[in-house]
Every structure is written in C-alpha cells, then in structure tokens.
C-alpha cells in the first residue's frame, strides 16, 4: 500500500472518501494477480471479521480460540457462540454473492429483503455498504453480523466482485456501529482503508507462502499430497486427523501428521496452535 494512502490524513469527509477509494483500488490490483490464493485470503479475512465481532460483544475469545472452535469440531458436534460467529463468516465467503446463497447463510433474513438490500444505496462502494448496514440494522437491530455480511456483499459488488471479502466491519467499534448518516460513513471510510491495507499485506504474504508450497509439493513422497496441498491453499487452518483423513484427501492419521510435520520442517507451512496435541496447521 503506498504510504500516502496508508498514512495519509483525512481532514475532511472528501479526504476520507478519496483515501478509502485509493486503498480499495490498490487492493484490487493485488487481488487480480493470478497467483494470489483468494479463497485462503477470504478465509483469513473471515477470521478477522469474526474476531472483531466477538470483541464487540465483550467476549474473551480471540483468533486462536475461534480456530479451535471450528477446525477441531468433529462431525455431529456444535460450536460454541464464538465458533458460530466464525462459521457464519466462513460460510459467507465460501460461495459467490447471490440472494439464494446469502439467504442460506442468513436464514433469519427474508430472500426478498436481501434482494432489495443488494440493490440499495447510492454513491461509492463504502457509502453503499453503510447505507445497507443502516437499512438492515433498522429492520433487524440485533442482527449485527448479518448486517455486516450484507454490507460487505454490497461493497464487493460495488467494486465489481462476485465473492465477499470481509473488509467493512473488522475495524468498526461497537460505538461506530451505533452511528448513522455521515458519521457512519466517516467511520466506514477509515475502517475500510485499514482493512484494505491489512488485506493487501496479507495477500502478498500468502501469495509468497503459496508459491513455496506449490514448488515443494512435487518433491514430497507422501500419497495424496496434491489433494492436501489444495486444502492448504484454500483453508485458514487444518487439523491433520480431521481434515486430511476425511473425504477428498483420505490419508491415514499417521501419514497426515507426518506430512504436516514435514511441511513445517521445510518452512512452507506453520503450526498455528502452539500446542503439542490437537495441533492446527496452515500457510
């Protein structure tokens, strides 16, 4: 992100809108590069959005706890309240933006209302996202995450995208979300500029990590390595005994653990939990 965008001072509403637009434009240039693992970037941004939501709710869980809640979940088990929030954001970024898709993710929202909100708002992407957030909040005052997801959907569509990239709510405080009109737009511009800068850095980092993993994969002798690599390129975190032994990869538990440890040794994958057991791995 150019320094004049990331560190520029927004002394007027026009400055704030311009800098936010410039940040989104710079981000789009990076996201358009074919070697950026977009699905993984969206998952990491979903984690950031979920963490911001639980912080605003006054809960103590942070990113590591959210990962445990979702990625260590066994079939048939249900996540706790914080895990539900992370799972909601993961579902929102997994499929192209459409009324039916969003209705499936947000069953409490009527499909006709979602269609209306996706077409609502005027002006630039951030202004439209703010307008939709206000509209949803008016009808569903307690559905904060749903309102933020719909705002991010509109933001993505206004930028010409088809997939939701969580940017709008990660840097908004609980106080910001009670604002309206020009005050909400001012907070939205500042929040989106920060999120765009973060996402640009994240995208470049994951692009480099993905390139290293792809380059080393043909040299690995483990069976079903290609399928495992595909998961690492699309998932925020993986449990070897759950993700790599299930359908799609089908490794034995021992082989899955050995592969993950080998990838850590080669410095292409990281162990994310910091534990000796129930470990999670990711780029």
């Amino acid at each position: 992100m150019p320094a004049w965008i990331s560190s520029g001072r927004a002394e007027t509403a026009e400055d704030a809108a311009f800098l936010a637009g410039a940040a989104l434009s710079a981000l789009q240039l990076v996201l358009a590069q074919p070697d950026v693992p977009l699905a993984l970037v969206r998952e990491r941004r979903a984690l950031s959005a979920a963490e911001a939501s639980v912080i605003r709710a006054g809960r103590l869980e942070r990113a590591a706890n959210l990962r445990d809640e979702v990625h260590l979940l066994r079939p048939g088990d249900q996540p706790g309240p914080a895990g539900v929030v992370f799972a909601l954001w993961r579902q929102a970024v997994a499929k192209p933006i459409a009324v039916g898709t969003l209705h499936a993710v947000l069953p409490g929202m009527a499909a006709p209302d979602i269609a209306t909100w996706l077409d609502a708002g005027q002006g630039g992407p951030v202004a439209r996202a703010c307008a939709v957030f206000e509209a949803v909040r008016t009808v569903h005052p307690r559905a904060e995450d749903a309102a933020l997801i719909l705002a991010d959907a509109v933001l993505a569509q206004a930028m010409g995208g088809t997939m939701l990239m969580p940017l709008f709510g990660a840097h908004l405080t609980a106080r910001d979300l009670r604002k309206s009109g020009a005050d909400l737009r001012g907070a939205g511009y500042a929040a989106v500029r920060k999120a765009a800068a973060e996402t640009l850095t994240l995208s470049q980092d994951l692009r480099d990590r993905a390139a290293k993993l792809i380059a080393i994969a043909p040299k690995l002798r483990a069976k079903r390595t290609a399928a495992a690599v595909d998961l690492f390129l699309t998932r925020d975190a993986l449990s070897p005994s759950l993700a790599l032994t299930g359908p799609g990869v089908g490794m034995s538990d021992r082989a899955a653990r050995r592969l993950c440890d080998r990838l850590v040794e080669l410095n292409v994958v990281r162990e994310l939990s910091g534990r000796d057991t129930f470990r999670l791995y990711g780029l």
Side-chain angles (χ1 to χ4, degrees):
M1 186 69 68
W4 67 268
I5 297 176
S6 58
S7 61
R9 294 182 59 185
E11 298 182 356
T12 66
E14 290 78 9
D15 292 338
F18 175 76
L19 289 172
L24 291 174
S25 179
L27 175 61
Q28 275 193 303
L29 292 175
V30 172
L31 296 181
Q33 296 177 18
D35 52 352
V36 173
L38 290 175
L40 179 54
V41 175
R42 289 194 295 270
E43 279 237 331
R44 288 281 166 87
R45 289 304 308 172
L47 178 63
S48 296
E51 185 178 42
S53 290
V54 299
I55 289 173
R56 283 192 294 264
R59 300 188 62 88
L60 299 178
E61 293 90 347
R62 295 298 182 264
N65 308 110
L66 297 177
R67 281 185 169 130
D68 286 352
E69 286 265 359
V70 170
H71 296 299
L72 295 179
L73 202 66
R74 294 187 176 277
D77 291 346
Q78 297 297 321
V84 168
V85 174
F86 183 26
L88 182 69
W89 279 98
R90 289 186 75 218
Q91 293 171 34
V93 303
K95 295 182 179 180
I97 299 167
V99 173
T101 301
L102 289 169
H103 179 58
V105 175
L106 308 170
M109 304 289 163
D113 290 341
I114 293 174
T116 299
W117 290 323
L118 290 180
D119 290 333
Q122 296 180 347
V126 180
R128 289 182 61 184
C130 290
V132 169
F133 176 81
E134 281 196 77
V136 178
R137 184 185 61 186
T138 300
V139 180
H140 301 278
R142 302 186 66 178
E144 177 184 290
D145 288 302
L148 291 171
I149 285 171
L150 289 166
D152 264 317
V154 168
L155 179 66
Q157 283 190 325
M159 294 169 61
T162 60
M163 302 291 291
L164 190 153
M165 178 69 75
L167 297 172
F168 183 71
H171 291 283
L172 291 174
T173 65
R175 182 177 180 182
D176 289 332
L177 295 184
R178 294 193 293 269
K179 295 177 180 178
S180 60
D183 290 336
L184 177 61
R185 288 194 296 275
Y189 289 135
V192 166
R193 181 160 60 127
K194 291 179 182 178
E198 281 183 354
T199 308
L200 188 150
T201 301
L202 172 67
S203 299
Q204 293 175 323
D205 177 56
L206 292 179
R207 177 196 61 193
D208 295 343
R209 292 179 179 275
K212 291 179 181 179
L213 176 59
I214 292 170
I216 205 72
K219 303 175 184 178
L220 300 173
R221 296 180 180 180
K223 293 181 180 180
R224 301 181 177 88
T225 297
V229 168
D230 286 343
L231 279 186
F232 277 113
L233 294 176
T234 58
R235 301 267 189 95
D236 162 63
L238 296 175
S239 164
S241 60
L242 293 174
L244 300 184
T245 60
V249 181
M251 286 184 165
S252 68
D253 185 72
R254 182 180 179 184
R257 294 175 186 276
R258 288 180 62 184
L259 174 64
C260 290
D261 289 340
R262 179 60 176 151
L263 292 174
V264 171
E265 290 176 3
L266 294 171
N267 198 32
V268 292
V269 163
R270 294 175 294 167
E271 200 287 310
L272 302 173
S273 71
R275 296 186 295 256
D276 293 331
T277 58
F278 301 104
R279 290 182 162 187
L280 294 173
Y281 298 83
L283 260 64

Short mmCIF file of all heavy atoms in Angstrom, two decimals, residues 134-163:
data_model
loop_
_atom_site.label_atom_id
_atom_site.label_comp_id
_atom_site.label_asym_id
_atom_site.label_seq_id
_atom_site.Cartn_x
_atom_site.Cartn_y
_atom_site.Cartn_z
N GLU A 134 -27.15 0.33 7.56
CA GLU A 134 -28.19 1.07 8.27
C GLU A 134 -29.57 0.49 7.99
O GLU A 134 -30.41 0.37 8.90
CB GLU A 134 -28.15 2.54 7.87
CG GLU A 134 -27.07 3.35 8.55
CD GLU A 134 -27.32 4.84 8.43
OE1 GLU A 134 -28.18 5.36 9.17
OE2 GLU A 134 -26.67 5.48 7.58
N ALA A 135 -29.83 0.14 6.74
CA ALA A 135 -31.14 -0.39 6.37
C ALA A 135 -31.42 -1.71 7.08
O ALA A 135 -32.52 -1.94 7.59
CB ALA A 135 -31.22 -0.56 4.86
N VAL A 136 -30.42 -2.60 7.12
CA VAL A 136 -30.61 -3.89 7.79
C VAL A 136 -30.74 -3.69 9.29
O VAL A 136 -31.59 -4.33 9.94
CB VAL A 136 -29.43 -4.83 7.47
CG1 VAL A 136 -29.60 -6.16 8.20
CG2 VAL A 136 -29.31 -5.07 5.97
N ARG A 137 -29.94 -2.81 9.85
CA ARG A 137 -29.99 -2.55 11.29
C ARG A 137 -31.35 -2.02 11.72
O ARG A 137 -31.85 -2.33 12.81
CB ARG A 137 -28.89 -1.55 11.67
CG ARG A 137 -28.78 -1.28 13.16
CD ARG A 137 -27.74 -0.20 13.43
NE ARG A 137 -28.11 1.07 12.78
CZ ARG A 137 -27.33 2.15 12.76
NH1 ARG A 137 -26.13 2.09 13.31
NH2 ARG A 137 -27.73 3.25 12.17
N THR A 138 -31.98 -1.22 10.85
CA THR A 138 -33.29 -0.67 11.17
C THR A 138 -34.33 -1.77 11.32
O THR A 138 -35.19 -1.73 12.22
CB THR A 138 -33.73 0.32 10.07
OG1 THR A 138 -32.77 1.38 9.99
CG2 THR A 138 -35.09 0.90 10.37
N VAL A 139 -34.26 -2.78 10.45
CA VAL A 139 -35.25 -3.86 10.47
C VAL A 139 -34.86 -4.94 11.48
O VAL A 139 -35.72 -5.51 12.15
CB VAL A 139 -35.38 -4.49 9.06
CG1 VAL A 139 -36.41 -5.62 9.06
CG2 VAL A 139 -35.76 -3.43 8.04
N HIS A 140 -33.57 -5.21 11.60
CA HIS A 140 -33.07 -6.26 12.50
C HIS A 140 -31.99 -5.66 13.41
O HIS A 140 -30.79 -5.87 13.18
CB HIS A 140 -32.50 -7.42 11.70
CG HIS A 140 -33.46 -8.07 10.76
ND1 HIS A 140 -34.38 -9.02 11.18
CD2 HIS A 140 -33.66 -7.90 9.43
CE1 HIS A 140 -35.10 -9.42 10.14
NE2 HIS A 140 -34.69 -8.75 9.08
N PRO A 141 -32.38 -4.91 14.44
CA PRO A 141 -31.39 -4.17 15.24
C PRO A 141 -30.39 -5.05 15.98
O PRO A 141 -29.33 -4.56 16.36
CB PRO A 141 -32.27 -3.38 16.22
CG PRO A 141 -33.58 -4.08 16.23
CD PRO A 141 -33.76 -4.65 14.87
N ARG A 142 -30.68 -6.32 16.17
CA ARG A 142 -29.77 -7.18 16.92
C ARG A 142 -28.95 -8.11 16.02
O ARG A 142 -28.12 -8.88 16.50
CB ARG A 142 -30.55 -8.01 17.94
CG ARG A 142 -31.36 -7.17 18.93
CD ARG A 142 -31.99 -8.03 20.00
NE ARG A 142 -30.99 -8.64 20.87
CZ ARG A 142 -31.29 -9.41 21.92
NH1 ARG A 142 -32.55 -9.66 22.21
NH2 ARG A 142 -30.32 -9.93 22.64
N ALA A 143 -29.19 -8.04 14.72
CA ALA A 143 -28.50 -8.92 13.78
C ALA A 143 -27.27 -8.22 13.22
O ALA A 143 -27.15 -7.97 12.02
CB ALA A 143 -29.44 -9.35 12.66
N GLU A 144 -26.31 -7.93 14.09
CA GLU A 144 -25.14 -7.15 13.69
C GLU A 144 -24.31 -7.86 12.64
O GLU A 144 -23.91 -7.27 11.64
CB GLU A 144 -24.29 -6.85 14.92
CG GLU A 144 -23.00 -6.09 14.64
CD GLU A 144 -22.17 -5.90 15.88
OE1 GLU A 144 -22.59 -5.11 16.75
OE2 GLU A 144 -21.11 -6.56 16.00
N ASP A 145 -24.03 -9.15 12.86
CA ASP A 145 -23.18 -9.87 11.91
C ASP A 145 -23.85 -10.00 10.55
O ASP A 145 -23.19 -9.88 9.51
CB ASP A 145 -22.83 -11.26 12.46
CG ASP A 145 -21.85 -11.18 13.61
OD1 ASP A 145 -20.75 -10.63 13.39
OD2 ASP A 145 -22.17 -11.64 14.71
N ALA A 146 -25.15 -10.25 10.54
CA ALA A 146 -25.87 -10.34 9.27
C ALA A 146 -25.80 -9.01 8.53
O ALA A 146 -25.60 -8.97 7.31
CB ALA A 146 -27.33 -10.74 9.51
N ALA A 147 -25.96 -7.90 9.26
CA ALA A 147 -25.89 -6.58 8.63
C ALA A 147 -24.51 -6.32 8.06
O ALA A 147 -24.37 -5.75 6.96
CB ALA A 147 -26.27 -5.50 9.64
N LEU A 148 -23.47 -6.73 8.78
CA LEU A 148 -22.10 -6.53 8.30
C LEU A 148 -21.80 -7.41 7.09
O LEU A 148 -21.12 -6.98 6.15
CB LEU A 148 -21.10 -6.82 9.42
CG LEU A 148 -21.09 -5.81 10.57
CD1 LEU A 148 -20.24 -6.32 11.72
CD2 LEU A 148 -20.59 -4.45 10.10
N ILE A 149 -22.30 -8.64 7.09
CA ILE A 149 -22.10 -9.52 5.95
C ILE A 149 -22.77 -8.94 4.71
O ILE A 149 -22.19 -8.92 3.61
CB ILE A 149 -22.65 -10.93 6.27
CG1 ILE A 149 -21.70 -11.65 7.23
CG2 ILE A 149 -22.84 -11.75 4.98
CD1 ILE A 149 -22.24 -12.95 7.77
N LEU A 150 -23.99 -8.44 4.85
CA LEU A 150 -24.68 -7.85 3.71
C LEU A 150 -23.99 -6.57 3.25
O LEU A 150 -23.93 -6.29 2.05
CB LEU A 150 -26.15 -7.60 4.07
CG LEU A 150 -26.98 -8.87 4.22
CD1 LEU A 150 -28.31 -8.56 4.89
CD2 LEU A 150 -27.24 -9.50 2.85
N ALA A 151 -23.48 -5.80 4.19
CA ALA A 151 -22.72 -4.60 3.82
C ALA A 151 -21.48 -4.96 3.03
O ALA A 151 -21.17 -4.32 2.01
CB ALA A 151 -22.36 -3.81 5.07
N ASP A 152 -20.76 -6.00 3.46
CA ASP A 152 -19.57 -6.43 2.73
C ASP A 152 -19.94 -7.01 1.37
O ASP A 152 -19.18 -6.87 0.41
CB ASP A 152 -18.79 -7.46 3.54
CG ASP A 152 -17.65 -6.83 4.33
OD1 ASP A 152 -16.94 -5.99 3.75
OD2 ASP A 152 -17.46 -7.19 5.50
N ALA A 153 -21.09 -7.66 1.27
CA ALA A 153 -21.54 -8.18 -0.03
C ALA A 153 -21.78 -7.04 -1.01
O ALA A 153 -21.38 -7.09 -2.18
CB ALA A 153 -22.82 -9.01 0.14
N VAL A 154 -22.42 -5.99 -0.53
CA VAL A 154 -22.68 -4.82 -1.37
C VAL A 154 -21.38 -4.12 -1.73
O VAL A 154 -21.19 -3.66 -2.86
CB VAL A 154 -23.66 -3.86 -0.66
CG1 VAL A 154 -23.73 -2.52 -1.39
CG2 VAL A 154 -25.05 -4.49 -0.59
N LEU A 155 -20.46 -4.02 -0.77
CA LEU A 155 -19.15 -3.42 -1.03
C LEU A 155 -18.44 -4.17 -2.14
O LEU A 155 -17.88 -3.57 -3.08
CB LEU A 155 -18.32 -3.43 0.25
CG LEU A 155 -16.90 -2.86 0.17
CD1 LEU A 155 -16.94 -1.36 -0.12
CD2 LEU A 155 -16.14 -3.13 1.46
N ALA A 156 -18.44 -5.50 -2.07
CA ALA A 156 -17.78 -6.31 -3.09
C ALA A 156 -18.44 -6.14 -4.45
O ALA A 156 -17.75 -5.99 -5.47
CB ALA A 156 -17.80 -7.79 -2.68
N GLN A 157 -19.76 -6.14 -4.48
CA GLN A 157 -20.47 -5.97 -5.75
C GLN A 157 -20.20 -4.60 -6.35
O GLN A 157 -20.04 -4.47 -7.57
CB GLN A 157 -21.97 -6.17 -5.54
CG GLN A 157 -22.39 -7.62 -5.39
CD GLN A 157 -23.89 -7.77 -5.43
OE1 GLN A 157 -24.64 -6.91 -4.94
NE2 GLN A 157 -24.37 -8.85 -6.00
N ALA A 158 -20.16 -3.57 -5.51
CA ALA A 158 -19.92 -2.22 -6.00
C ALA A 158 -18.53 -2.09 -6.61
O ALA A 158 -18.29 -1.22 -7.46
CB ALA A 158 -20.09 -1.20 -4.87
N MET A 159 -17.62 -2.97 -6.20
CA MET A 159 -16.25 -2.98 -6.75
C MET A 159 -16.13 -3.93 -7.95
O MET A 159 -15.04 -4.15 -8.46
CB MET A 159 -15.25 -3.38 -5.67
CG MET A 159 -15.13 -2.37 -4.53
SD MET A 159 -14.18 -3.02 -3.14
CE MET A 159 -12.60 -3.33 -3.93
N GLY A 160 -17.26 -4.51 -8.35
CA GLY A 160 -17.24 -5.40 -9.50
C GLY A 160 -16.90 -6.84 -9.17
O GLY A 160 -16.63 -7.64 -10.07
N GLY A 161 -16.90 -7.19 -7.89
CA GLY A 161 -16.55 -8.55 -7.48
C GLY A 161 -17.76 -9.46 -7.39
O GLY A 161 -18.91 -8.99 -7.35
N THR A 162 -17.51 -10.74 -7.36
CA THR A 162 -18.58 -11.74 -7.22
C THR A 162 -18.47 -12.51 -5.91
O THR A 162 -19.39 -13.26 -5.57
CB THR A 162 -18.53 -12.75 -8.38
OG1 THR A 162 -17.26 -13.41 -8.38
CG2 THR A 162 -18.74 -12.05 -9.71
N MET A 163 -17.37 -12.36 -5.17
CA MET A 163 -17.17 -13.05 -3.91
C MET A 163 -17.00 -12.03 -2.79
O MET A 163 -16.41 -10.96 -2.99
CB MET A 163 -15.92 -13.94 -3.96
CG MET A 163 -15.94 -14.99 -5.05
SD MET A 163 -17.16 -16.30 -4.79
CE MET A 163 -16.46 -17.15 -3.37
#
